[in-house]
Amino acid sequence: MQERVKKPQFDVVGTRPVRPDGVDKVTGRAKYGADLKMAGQLVGKVLRSPHAHARIKSIDVSKALALPGVKAVVTAEDFPGQPSEFIPAGEGVVNYRDMTSNVMARAKVLYEGHAVAAVAALNEKTALAALDAIKVEYEVLPHVIDEMEAIKPGAPILHEDMITTGVTPAPTKASNIAKRVEFVLGDAAKGFGEADLIVEREFKTKAVHQGYIEPHACLASASEDGSAELWVTTQGHWVVRAYCAKLLGWEIGKIRVTSSEIGGGFGGKTVVYLEPLALALSKKTRRPVKMVMSREEVFKASGPTSGGTVKVKMGVKKDGRITAAEAEITLQAGAFQGSPVQPACMCAFANYDLENVKVVGYDVVSNRPKVAAYRAPGGPISTYGVESVVDEIAEKLGMCPIELRLKNAAKEGTRAAYGPKFGPVGLIECLEAAKESDHWKAPLGPNQGRGLAAGFWFNIGGETTVSLQLNEDGTLTLMAGTPDIGGLRASLCMMAAEELKMDVSKIRPIIADTSSLGYNFLTGGSRSTFSSGMATVEAARSIVKQACGRAAKLWDIPEEAVTFEDGMIRPAGENAGKHKPMSLSDIAKVAGKTGGAIVGYAAISAQGAAPSFGVHIADTEVDPGTGKVTVTRYTAIQDAGKAIHPSYVEGQYQGGAVQGIGWALNEEYIYGADGKLQNAGFLDYRVPVASDLPMIDTIIIEVPNPRHPYGVRGIGETPIVPPMAAIGASVRRASGVRFFELPMSPPKVLKAMKAAGKA
Amino acid sequence: MRYEKPTTVEAATALLAGQGARVLAGGTDLLVQIRSRILNPDVVVDIKGIDTTRKITKDTSGYTIGAAVTGAELKEHPTLSKDWPGLVEGANLIGSTQVQGRASLGGNLCNGSPAADSVPAMIAAGAVATIAGPKGTRTLPVEDIMLAPRKLALTAGEFIVSFKIPARPAHGGDAYLRFIPRTEMDIAVVGCGVALALDAGGTCTAARVALGAVAARPLLVEDGAKALIGTKVDDAALAKLEAAAKAACKPIDDKRGTVEFRIDVAGTLAKRVAKIALERARKV
């Protein structure tokens, strides 16, 4: 593995200590969403729609309630109606009317698997029997699954009041197009006029699921006094608290939410499904209620990301300079509006320094589960189209794909089509590293090909709180509020240890519950190491300041005359050498006598998140007898700003690449003509297994983010952006055929190779 | 639901003759189907208490393999993998390492899936099932047991006790390959087993070709065998085999593959499997 980490100027940052949550995870002691039990707990189960689209004429729960052991049933009637309004939430927006209609269908079911009722019973068998006993009368309606079918005149309309926004004049009739977005820079028509070569292509991608191994799970306990506790696997427990309070009409302060260890989220655990149902059932029964989704429910009722149609047109001069770029992106939102079409549009051409850009996007509802965020939401879809066209341009011009990209690469000062001017960014460094890599220069075997693509994600900051307490013996306890998905706790302890010049193993981290710490926005937007790291540094510096104050008090000298150097608190200036230096541990022991506990606390809204660019190189081998594509070698190169714990940065690069490989080759939601999902399980929804993959090599580039104390950029999402185009380019060279549709599954590849005379 | 573990064939057939009874061998299909509420049998009859279902015996006429012998046990047998490597490979493709500790030839066949991995290899090897029933014991070639998805040629009370695999011919070899979109933990989109025998001069004297997942039941492809017998299994013979394999397919379009794809891959696999079987036959 090649590494391009600069010489460390740090003691702890950039090293690879054992993660503090590691031992309990490998021994099985770590508690995930389904692992908590409470005395007297009931089992909650959800009745789900068997239809893709139907009007609910009536729901009769009386037979279910009459069954011995059934304690309560809830339906939409148990949740207050919500107004339709859009509330900003991190990288997207939420609409509480849609949210409450998604967690429990109101009037209509809009997809197979849509929740219709939930029961609480003494055990699972009774709960399942109760579901069978609920009688729902449906009026089945025509359904529509494909986004391009959904926008045709005459398509079944999901929401009678959906008037497309972003269009002037506003349409007068309802449609399945929720909104139109547009980003324009310069004059695309003029740019195409200057081009020597124009390539225009249309791409299709399928809906894919985040594929977290741990299903959604929670345990709710509502008290007679109106307070409630919720244990849940989530990427953001403050967000869960706010959503549940809103959907139930409860006070935020009376709900205490604790996040469990999380077995993967990838954006999919940023929303609520079971949580408000479990709380409502617990309130009705006065008993704890535990709910765990089956894998089938996870696929049918929790968010995949959009499939979509991406039209891309790009013009270039003979020398490779891109003169104009246009894209039209139509994404599936699922049953309720809110596809990631906006970030898809923002990412489309972000890799390039362009004068003339026009990107138009459409958010389209159809009878599918509502999409949820999935790692760089929307970015992989638009980038697949754009980077595939860039590869085709390189081929047509006879240029090296790296040279073509270097000629057009976004750099410091580039104005992105969606508005901002980039600060220091690392795309050129990533491309140069790719060019110099062993991988790029290695020979290829028969039926093998090599492809390359670039990718971008903007990353976010946001509300973040961290508390760091100095314990009596000099050890520290770190409380963060962004659930740890990819090694966050290790990275935060390392940053605290760096500031305090101490052994990282002396700092024990926890993810605190919502009643123990100020507000934290969720782990998403690749923000947790960046934002919680920034807060941790601030909290650690506060500890140093307080400790120096205590020493000043003990030594009876002014606070300004005390310094913190090499982990010791020392008298400085004219007092230098007059008192014996004290360690933080020494101060901790006398904290009680010098003013009480020493706690560093930082409640911030982290600003200055910086984008991360990446470049992936993929080698594939295509079997001309079966159309099967095997990834034979893979390298992910990406700018981390500064890798706090390089192993977890590499882990993110590898994980994103693997999810992208699955998206490229086999993963897809397959629907029958009846509008029902045919592959709601890991057998036929094919994520790659370990034996399908080569080692994913990584190269960490470090172009520091000047707005973070250690230079950190968010890095979790960018790695899933380049793989599909990189593999497409690779398959093109291995098979002789260029593909415009994902997944590049064996039946499609073999058919196309036969048609081209290559099989 | 009642669980029974009889220790004699007679007791088992008596239990199985009743309403709503299902045979339990390894349980890797049955238990999953019960848990996912596809099946709800009244009686589960575990046949592993019957000695003969759990043993592999070898004599001059070949092997007798108990219907509930696991994939792991087949692999660990001292000579079976040398004599019938294709058969063992097919059985070992079922599920994960953990599943291999339970999954059996009898269960894989009687689950009634056209895609069962061990079945084409058994058919190619010429395996014959010994079936016990209320009226006594009978034998039936493996290719005649499955009639359609989930439908078997067994009558009420009958179950497979063991399989008879003939002795390997002097210059004989077999092989099995399946096509799946990934590398493991999957179900065959196409499966193919070939067994062949050569004379001292290297001419094919006998062959059996079987396909899985390309029709409502596993197929014995007689024209595939004809394409090989009397040849040196050269390119011309392999081309005829490919054509015969493709002609035999009657697949469906489904989430795992199209008709066209399955037919094409059946041809590709038949050639590849025959080449492996040929190499093995030449080496013994």
Side-chain angles (χ1 to χ4, degrees):
Chain A
M1 196 172 302
Q2 302 166 61
E3 219 176 275
R4 291 178 169 246
V5 178
K6 282 186 198 157
K7 261 198 146 117
Q9 68 241 41
F10 300 103
D11 297 323
V12 185
V13 166
T15 64
R16 299 172 187 250
V18 170
R19 63 197 294 163
D21 49 313
V23 169
D24 281 0
K25 280 180 174 164
V26 298
T27 57
R29 183 173 285 106
K31 288 191 292 294
Y32 289 84
D35 289 337
L36 198 68
K37 291 187 181 73
M38 288 177 80
Q41 76 183 26
L42 302 173
V43 174
K45 287 279 169 196
V46 179
L47 180 68
R48 298 186 180 278
S49 167
H51 305 296
H53 194 190
R55 204 173 304 284
I56 301 172
K57 295 176 76 177
S58 66
I59 303 178
D60 180 358
V61 302
S62 57
K63 287 207 173 88
L65 280 171
L67 286 176
V70 175
K71 299 295 179 186
V73 179
V74 292
T75 64
E77 286 178 12
D78 294 272
F79 302 89
Q82 302 286 345
S84 176
E85 53 185 354
F86 292 91
I87 315 287
E91 293 161 309
V93 292
V94 300
N95 181 313
Y96 286 112
R97 185 190 64 175
D98 291 347
M99 192 186 291
T100 199
S101 306
N102 192 37
V103 301
M104 200 54 93
R106 304 175 95 87
K108 285 212 292 186
V109 290
L110 296 165
Y111 54 94
E112 185 212 7
H114 199 163
V116 176
V119 303
L122 287 177
N123 53 50
E124 180 165 348
K125 199 177 168 193
T126 309
L128 291 172
L131 296 186
D132 291 341
I134 296 173
K135 192 162 181 277
V136 185
E137 210 183 332
Y138 293 103
E139 177 196 343
V140 177
L141 302 169
H143 63 269
V144 62
I145 298 292
D146 183 80
E147 73 282 358
M148 297 315 268
E149 293 297 319
I151 64 175
K152 283 185 182 162
I157 299 294
L158 274 71
H159 305 279
E160 296 300 338
D161 61 349
M162 183 170 280
I163 300 294
T164 310
T165 60
V167 179
T168 356
T172 52
K173 272 177 63 185
S175 76
N176 291 323
I177 306 174
K179 69 172 175 183
R180 178 186 185 275
V181 295
E182 182 181 292
F183 296 96
V184 175
L185 189 71
D187 180 350
K190 179 175 146 281
F192 284 118
E194 293 163 6
D196 295 321
L197 169 72
I198 293 174
V199 175
E200 189 171 3
R201 294 291 189 185
E202 182 175 325
F203 300 86
K204 285 284 274 186
T205 72
K206 295 288 177 65
V208 294
H209 198 271
Q210 294 82 347
Y212 31 82
I213 299 302
E214 181 199 26
H216 295 273
C218 66
L219 174 58
S221 180
S223 163
E224 287 77 358
D225 68 5
S227 68
E229 292 185 339
L230 181 69
W231 165 268
V232 58
T233 175
T234 177
Q235 291 175 237
H237 36 314
W238 276 265
V239 170
V240 167
R241 183 181 68 166
Y243 291 169
C244 289
K246 184 79 174 174
L247 298 192
L248 293 160
W250 297 1
E251 280 176 32
I252 282 179
K254 286 192 176 161
I255 309 173
R256 179 184 180 191
V257 185
T258 307
S259 70
S260 69
E261 288 292 348
I262 180 168
F266 314 107
K269 288 178 182 161
T270 57
V271 284
V272 291
Y273 300 108
L274 302 175
E275 298 82 355
L277 314 185
L279 284 165
L281 286 168
S282 179
K283 189 184 176 193
K284 269 197 166 177
T285 57
R286 297 296 182 214
R287 293 187 45 180
V289 175
K290 184 167 174 175
M291 299 185 82
V292 182
M293 278 196 197
S294 68
R295 181 63 56 192
E296 186 181 349
E297 288 180 291
V298 169
F299 275 111
K300 287 185 176 173
S302 76
T305 191
S306 316
T309 302
V310 180
K311 296 176 188 171
V312 180
K313 181 180 173 187
M314 296 178 82
V316 283
K317 301 293 274 183
K318 280 195 190 98
D319 67 358
R321 181 68 203 154
I322 299 167
T323 58
E326 258 183 25
E328 184 189 286
I329 300 162
T330 308
L331 294 191
Q332 299 157 3
F336 300 94
Q337 64 182 296
S339 77
V341 70
Q342 180 126 349
C345 291
M346 290 161 69
C347 287
F349 297 108
N351 290 332
Y352 301 108
D353 184 14
L354 304 177
E355 283 174 22
N356 305 302
V357 180
K358 183 178 177 188
V359 187
V360 175
Y362 296 98
D363 183 24
V364 177
V365 297
S366 64
N367 296 111
R368 298 166 164 274
K370 163 84 172 79
V371 302
Y374 180 19
R375 214 167 186 161
I381 303 168
S382 58
T383 302
Y384 163 61
V386 170
E387 287 295 284
S388 297
V389 166
V390 170
D391 187 68
E392 188 171 345
I393 288 171
E395 185 185 274
K396 291 207 157 115
L397 292 178
M399 266 182 96
C400 164
I402 295 181
E403 295 302 337
L404 176 62
R405 285 178 172 86
L406 279 170
K407 198 153 203 133
N408 295 285
K411 51 190 180 288
E412 185 166 5
T414 292
R415 167 82 60 196
Y418 66 90
K421 209 175 235 190
F422 291 139
V425 289
L427 178 56
I428 288 172
E429 287 80 353
C430 289
L431 287 164
E432 296 285 359
K435 199 162 73 174
E436 294 306 315
S437 68
D438 294 344
H439 184 172
W440 188 249
K441 297 169 191 162
L444 287 163
N447 298 318
Q448 292 186 348
R450 177 167 298 142
L452 171 140
F456 155 90
W457 189 249
F458 45 90
N459 300 319
I460 63 169
E463 293 149 280
T464 311
T465 307
V466 163
S467 174
L468 189 59
Q469 60 198 49
L470 183 61
N471 299 317
E472 307 93 283
D473 60 356
T475 59
L476 285 110
T477 303
L478 190 153
M479 290 161 59
T482 44
D484 179 356
I485 303 188
L488 174 74
R489 278 165 290 186
S491 302
L492 296 184
C493 288
M494 289 170 72
M495 287 187 259
E498 186 71 50
E499 287 295 321
L500 302 173
K501 300 294 169 210
M502 66 187 299
D503 178 355
V504 70
S505 70
K506 300 288 180 204
I507 307 169
R508 188 75 199 164
I510 64 159
I511 303 300
D513 65 70
T514 55
S515 296
S516 306
L517 202 58
Y519 185 87
N520 279 275
F521 185 59
L522 50 75
T523 291
S526 298
R527 72 175 217 95
S528 72
T529 302
F530 170 77
S531 305
S532 288
M534 197 181 259
T536 297
V537 169
E538 190 177 315
R541 288 177 184 171
S542 165
I543 295 244
V544 168
K545 189 164 187 306
Q546 292 173 58
C548 289
R550 303 296 173 91
K553 209 181 239 181
L554 286 169
W555 295 333
D556 199 19
I557 61 176
E559 225 176 289
E560 308 80 68
V562 180
T563 61
F564 181 68
E565 277 168 22
D566 304 327
M568 297 300 280
I569 294 150
R570 301 170 195 277
E574 57 186 33
N575 298 302
K578 288 187 185 163
H579 303 280
K580 193 176 168 219
M582 295 178 79
S583 65
L584 279 176
S585 205
D586 297 333
I587 296 288
K589 282 171 195 142
V590 296
K593 293 179 203 154
T594 56
I598 295 175
V599 180
Y601 191 81
I604 63 171
S605 178
Q607 303 296 312
S612 176
F613 285 92
V615 172
H616 288 197
I617 310 170
D619 290 1
T620 60
E621 184 171 322
V622 180
D623 182 339
T626 65
K628 184 172 177 172
V629 177
T630 304
V631 180
T632 53
R633 187 170 179 178
Y634 201 99
T635 304
I637 305 158
Q638 191 184 322
D639 176 17
K642 177 69 202 170
I644 301 299
H645 192 309
S647 297
Y648 303 138
V649 172
E650 290 159 1
Q652 291 291 323
Y653 293 5
Q654 291 165 328
V658 169
Q659 287 185 310
I661 290 168
W663 200 335
L665 296 180
N666 279 307
E667 292 180 38
E668 59 178 316
Y669 265 46
I670 302 171
Y671 282 90
D674 56 3
K676 296 185 187 185
L677 184 62
Q678 295 193 336
N679 58 336
F682 279 136
L683 177 58
D684 285 304
Y685 182 89
R686 290 184 177 77
V687 300
V689 297
S691 60
D692 294 337
L693 300 162
M695 178 65 186
I696 308 292
D697 289 322
T698 56
I699 300 176
I700 299 173
I701 303 296
E702 294 187 320
V703 177
N705 171 10
R707 310 228 6 224
H708 187 276
Y710 295 150
V712 167
R713 294 171 192 274
I715 51 94
E717 286 166 293
T718 299
I720 201 174
V721 181
M724 286 77 90
I727 289 169
S730 168
V731 169
R732 155 74 183 157
R733 288 167 184 79
S735 69
V737 180
R738 193 172 282 283
F739 290 86
F740 302 97
E741 194 179 326
L742 299 180
M744 291 175 276
S745 53
K748 276 188 220 159
V749 173
L750 188 62
K751 191 180 169 117
M753 288 177 76
K754 268 171 70 183
K758 308 277 185 188
Chain B
M1 195 184 304
R2 203 166 93 236
Y3 170 82
E4 297 281 356
K5 192 172 183 181
T7 52
T8 64
V9 167
E10 294 70 27
T13 56
L15 284 163
L16 287 166
Q19 281 289 311
R22 299 291 299 208
V23 176
L24 173 72
T28 59
D29 284 307
L30 182 67
L31 296 188
V32 174
Q33 288 164 15
I34 291 172
R35 289 213 176 101
S36 53
R37 305 169 92 197
I38 295 167
L39 290 178
N40 189 18
D42 299 317
V43 192
V44 170
V45 182
D46 186 346
I47 60 167
K48 292 193 294 297
I50 303 163
D51 254 14
T52 43
T53 70
R54 295 281 303 120
K55 271 202 286 210
I56 304 176
T57 55
K58 187 187 179 188
D59 59 28
T60 50
S61 69
Y63 291 89
T64 302
I65 303 174
V69 169
T70 69
E73 288 163 341
L74 294 176
K75 191 178 179 181
E76 282 164 12
H77 189 273
T79 59
L80 186 63
S81 291
K82 289 187 193 110
D83 288 344
W84 294 104
L87 176 69
V88 177
E89 285 161 2
N92 286 162
L93 284 173
I94 303 163
S96 60
T97 303
Q98 292 90 329
V99 168
Q100 281 295 310
R102 304 289 294 181
S104 65
L105 292 178
N108 197 222
L109 174 61
C110 294
N111 180 49
S113 162
D117 280 310
S118 68
V119 176
M122 277 203 283
I123 293 173
V128 174
T130 300
I131 300 163
K135 291 176 194 160
T137 297
R138 62 175 176 134
T139 60
L140 203 57
V142 167
E143 59 267 29
D144 293 336
I145 288 178
M146 194 190 143
L147 305 174
R150 313 282 165 210
K151 196 159 182 277
L152 306 179
L154 301 184
T155 56
E158 284 193 323
F159 74 103
I160 297 175
V161 179
S162 61
F163 297 96
K164 178 80 191 174
I165 318 288
R168 178 177 53 77
H171 301 287
D174 78 327
Y176 174 79
L177 289 177
R178 67 172 178 184
F179 180 81
I180 55 171
R182 54 187 166 203
T183 46
E184 60 177 354
M185 305 298 292
D186 213 329
I187 288 179
V189 180
V190 179
C192 180
V194 173
L196 52 79
L198 306 176
D199 64 17
T203 299
C204 179
T205 55
R208 286 171 69 87
V209 176
L211 289 170
V214 292
R217 54 188 285 188
L219 301 175
L220 176 65
V221 187
E222 311 253 6
D223 288 345
K226 283 184 198 151
L228 301 178
I229 294 169
T231 75
K232 300 266 188 188
V233 194
D234 50 15
D235 286 350
L238 290 170
K240 277 188 192 162
L241 169 66
E242 179 182 14
K246 289 168 82 164
C249 296
K250 289 181 192 65
I252 54 166
D253 275 325
D254 71 3
K255 61 193 171 188
R256 294 188 184 129
T258 59
V259 167
E260 180 189 357
F261 179 72
R262 285 192 155 104
I263 291 173
D264 286 338
V265 172
T268 296
L269 286 194
K271 281 195 297 186
R272 290 179 184 177
V273 176
K275 279 189 195 170
I276 300 169
L278 177 68
E279 283 311 305
R280 287 173 174 168
R282 281 176 176 164
K283 278 183 190 151
V284 293

